[in-house]
Amino acid sequence: MPNLLFKLNERLYLRDPQHTLLGQNIIRVSIDMIDRLGFEQFTFKKLAEEIDSTEASIYRYFENKHRLLLYLIAWYWNWMDYRIDLVTIGLTNPQEKLRASLKVIAEEKKIDPNFEFVNEEALYRIVVAELDKTFLTKWVDNDNKEGLFGGFKSLCRKLAGWVTEVNPDYPYANSLMSTILLTAKQQVFFAQHLPSLTSITKKETSQVELEYFLETILFKSIL
Amino acid sequence: MPNLLFKLNERLYLRDPQHTLLGQNIIRVSIDMIDRLGFEQFTFKKLAEEIDSTEASIYRYFENKHRLLLYLIAWYWNWMDYRIDLVTIGLTNPQEKLRASLKVIAEEKKIDPNFEFVNEEALYRIVVAELDKTFLTKWVDNDNKEGLFGGFKSLCRKLAGWVTEVNPDYPYANSLMSTILLTAKQQVFFAQHLPSLTSITKKETSQVELEYFLETILFKSIL
DNA sequence: TTAAATATAATAGTATTACTATCATAACTG
DNA sequence: CAGTTATGATAGTAATACTATTATATTTAA
């Protein structure tokens, strides 16, 4: 069981949480707590209690809880990028690459044993519920300047590149792929909480429905 | 200059702000302040100071600031619905209705003299920046049960109905229209803050670009 | 092996937020 | 003009998001 690490933007943290036990605990338990409580109700104080540490110690790893969320979501997009590489590495046709990527994007996540101390199922739910909060803040422009959205942006760029390979005349490749990536999460959220806003059901078939919906948007737009 | 009022869900407020001077001040100045400060930095205390009133008085109109945001955004969707009615009333062909609606959806908003004490330009920016925060909370399910998202849902339903009229076999009408409505805001936000995630520019042409982008997604998907 | 450096824990403190409560006064209403 | 209702003035509270200080472990380097 290989234990992989992602090299994330160093500005996301003050001290790298992957390298110490306390840091790993912060990641592991914060994923669990944000999933359970929601990001607003989650605090460093509560986290400190659950891992038998102190607020002050956590603040030595992350400047604030917003940075911690940025870290977790950056990790998620890195992981997505990595899995898209895995399923497209053997493919040469950009259209096939996109189709394979969509499968990964629409997938409900299963635990990935390659990564200890990251519960990918809980992290997936966090992304669904909290993703937009990473950029809908007064810090967007600064966070962006520091490169904290790099993971999402490079993934979007990669997919948009394939779109342009498929159809060099399609002028909205970036918009289309950011829309697809965000819509994949939003529709899952709607299925759970505002079902009249979606055609995706809560049943086991929802993954396939989402995939077809995204496929239609993507390929009808560019072909 | 007719002064219209929208009848919004009564549960959005404790006392109807449209009917008193204080209430109108709350609406008018909160739109201005949320636009300037962002929703997180906006507080009832600051608002009270600017309108020369007190926190306690504001709390007699709105249970909390989240409800106030829900109110403003509900007002916006009502207004959008009203304007879509205006441009589609004479049309019989559902495809033409959708095309006319898209124009309204992609439009950068101009002040509407029909509504005193609502600065539609500022409100538009609020919707772009804060819309998702109305439902990405721990209260979603309860707020939904109380019908507080009614404006958005009924608009989505109307548009999805036209989609189904155009193509009864297209199975994702609701998903498609909620995606269009949200994407219209998101892409504008990206153009302003994360330009590498969008193909829409910041120039005067952005409105047309957005409209074409949404048109492509919508009509290619269903035709 | 010990001294120095560093990480963590323990504790305390601060300004701000999101309220709730009480009471006086002003304004409008029947 | 009496009674109701709306607003203002003021105070208070628990929780949040930090910052600061000091003591004690633990690691590392000489």
Side-chain angles (χ1 to χ4, degrees), chain A residues 82-206:
Chain A
Y82 155 82
R83 282 177 308 140
I84 285 179
D85 280 348
L86 286 184
V87 299
T88 56
I89 198 93
L91 305 174
T92 47
N93 182 339
Q95 197 176 328
E96 278 176 42
K97 287 186 191 170
L98 284 171
R99 206 172 292 277
S101 302
L102 274 193
K103 259 198 208 322
V104 177
I105 291 167
E107 198 178 15
E108 277 177 48
K109 303 315 173 314
K110 297 279 142 57
I111 294 288
D112 188 332
N114 284 316
F115 304 94
E116 272 189 311
F117 68 81
V118 175
N119 175 345
E120 288 85 2
E121 285 181 41
L123 183 55
Y124 172 72
R125 288 189 295 268
I126 291 175
V127 175
V128 166
E130 323 286 0
L131 167 61
D132 297 358
K133 294 174 192 166
T134 56
F135 48 82
L136 295 175
T137 72
K138 60 164 175 174
W139 308 289
V140 217
D141 297 318
N142 182 62
D143 289 353
N144 187 34
K145 212 177 285 168
E146 292 194 41
L148 307 187
F149 304 116
F152 185 69
K153 283 162 72 173
S154 73
L155 176 59
C156 190
R157 196 180 318 119
K158 173 193 289 189
L159 295 164
W162 292 335
V163 166
T164 305
E165 275 187 61
V166 173
N167 179 353
D169 295 326
Y170 181 75
Y172 308 116
N174 283 305
S175 286
L176 185 59
M177 286 323 306
S178 62
T179 297
I180 296 271
L181 288 172
L182 293 187
T183 297
K185 307 301 169 208
Q186 255 146 18
Q187 294 293 318
V188 169
F189 184 87
F190 290 158
Q192 284 164 11
H193 300 286
L194 295 158
S196 68
L197 294 176
T198 188
S199 315
I200 311 300
T201 63
K202 264 201 253 190
K203 293 175 295 192
E204 325 74 59
T205 53
S206 68

Side-chain angles (χ1 to χ4, degrees), chain A residues 41, chain B residues 64 66 135-144 149:
Chain A
Q41 280 58 53
Chain B
N64 51 53
H66 180 243
F135 47 81
L136 294 176
T137 71
K138 59 164 177 174
W139 308 290
V140 216
D141 296 318
N142 182 62
D143 289 352
N144 188 34
F149 305 115

Side-chain angles (χ1 to χ4, degrees), chain B residues 15 22 52-54 57 60-61:
Chain B
R15 192 193 303 302
L22 177 59
D52 273 311
S53 180
T54 63
S57 299
R60 284 190 204 98
Y61 281 82

Side-chain angles (χ1 to χ4, degrees), chain B residues 97-210:
Chain B
K97 287 185 192 172
L98 283 171
R99 205 172 293 276
S101 302
L102 274 194
K103 259 197 206 324
V104 177
I105 291 167
E107 198 177 14
E108 277 176 48
K109 302 317 175 304
K110 297 278 141 59
I111 294 288
D112 188 333
N114 285 314
F115 304 93
E116 274 189 310
F117 68 83
V118 174
N119 175 345
E120 287 86 1
E121 285 181 43
L123 183 54
Y124 171 74
R125 289 189 294 268
I126 291 175
V127 174
V128 166
E130 322 287 359
L131 167 61
D132 297 358
K133 294 174 191 165
T134 56
F135 47 81
L136 294 176
T137 71
K138 59 164 177 174
W139 308 290
V140 216
D141 296 318
N142 182 62
D143 289 352
N144 188 34
K145 212 178 283 167
E146 292 194 40
L148 307 187
F149 305 115
F152 185 69
K153 282 161 73 173
S154 71
L155 176 60
C156 190
R157 197 179 317 118
K158 173 194 287 189
L159 295 164
W162 292 335
V163 166
T164 304
E165 274 188 63
V166 172
N167 179 352
D169 295 328
Y170 181 75
Y172 307 116
N174 283 305
S175 286
L176 186 59
M177 287 321 307
S178 62
T179 297
I180 296 272
L181 288 171
L182 294 187
T183 297
K185 308 301 169 209
Q186 256 146 18
Q187 295 293 318
V188 170
F189 183 87
F190 289 158
Q192 285 164 12
H193 300 286
L194 295 158
S196 67
L197 295 176
T198 187
S199 316
I200 312 299
T201 62
K202 265 202 253 188
K203 292 175 295 191
E204 326 75 58
T205 53
S206 68
Q207 214 177 114
V208 186
E209 290 168 7
L210 179 59

